[in-house]
Amino acid sequence: MPRRPRIDLHTHSTASDGTDRPAELVAVAAAADVDVLAITDHDTTAGWAEAAEALPPGMRLLRGAEFSCVSPTGRGDRPVAVHLLGYQFDPEHPAIVAEQTRLRAEREHRLRRMTEKMAADGYPVDPDAVLALLPEGASAGRPHLARALVAAGVVGSVGEAFETLLYNGSPYFVPKTDTPVRKAIEMVRAAGGFAVFAHPLARKRGRVVEPSVIAELAEAGLAGVEVDHPDHAAEDRALLRRVAAETGLVVTGSSDYHGTNKTTPIAAETTAPEALERLLEVTTGVEVLTG
């Protein structure tokens, strides 16, 4: 019986907060027998071209991005930060270009302010030096500051940096102005792509939305929900599967691979081939590439 394709729809490169260059990301995927890979860096498409050039024969590449969004929780309290995975959209669509440019500027401002606050308290980090680590077109993120803290000997790992200094609500945390999630869904769809709610019940990261919000977003054009994710507990995966069955959302699974910034290996979670084909049926932005 032929092996079922291994499909990982959520990975990051040095174009945002991963540690592998896009070509290295493709090589890691190939070594892990991944058949279909999606590159989904935060708020940027800067890694698309290099990943495409590195494709080995037979591997398929989906091009996407992880959009920084804000959503109602469904509980009437303050909105919560969420992530939306957009795939196969036209990267030159004016709304995409404008919003990704704005979000990258927000990210850079936040990283500079957080680094300045830490430097003012005596930590051996320099804003210009941290920002200089970013490749052209890359999105700045807290992992860049975390790696600077590791290099300076302040902490032993990126994980420790987040747990002790860079967590949401820490004295050094600076918020950013993200895209309303409904606007992001509309933007991705207008650019010919499809949208998937990333790790919606990753409770270890903080507050999450109620299942009712996911159902409402399905009515607004959301195509899928990332159910099988390393940060989802078994009971939350079961809950999300019920929501997907009731709303018609496509269930996806992904590693959320970040290289050495996280311990999760590529293809630790995967998507069923049938689910991917359902998602691609609604795509008109760009073609899936095959090596």
Side-chain angles (χ1 to χ4, degrees), residues 143 146-147 150 155-163 166 260-262:
R147 291 204 295 271
V150 172
V155 292
S157 68
V158 169
E160 183 185 347
F162 271 84
E163 290 167 8
L166 305 181
T260 59
N261 273 345
K262 292 186 178 180

Side-chain angles (χ1 to χ4, degrees), residues 164-247:
T164 60
L165 295 168
L166 305 181
Y167 58 90
N168 291 6
S170 84
Y172 304 107
F173 179 77
V174 174
K176 63 186 190 308
T177 304
D178 293 332
T179 310
V181 66
R182 283 176 176 262
K183 176 182 175 180
I185 292 170
E186 293 169 3
M187 185 171 63
V188 170
R189 293 187 70 196
F194 63 88
V196 172
F197 200 138
H199 45 69
L201 298 184
R203 300 181 192 277
K204 64 176 67 175
R205 302 185 181 206
R207 297 184 306 136
V208 299
V209 301
E210 292 295 316
S212 60
V213 172
I214 302 171
E216 291 167 3
L217 293 177
E219 295 181 358
L222 184 70
V225 58
E226 190 177 50
V227 173
D228 295 313
H229 184 279
D231 290 348
H232 277 166
E235 58 270 25
D236 285 327
R237 296 185 191 215
L239 172 58
L240 288 171
R241 279 190 166 80
R242 289 197 296 272
V243 172
E246 293 166 359
T247 59

Side-chain angles (χ1 to χ4, degrees), residues 134-154:
L134 295 172
E136 184 176 355
S139 287
R142 282 178 287 174
H144 295 104
L145 178 52
R147 291 204 295 271
L149 291 167
V150 172
V154 175

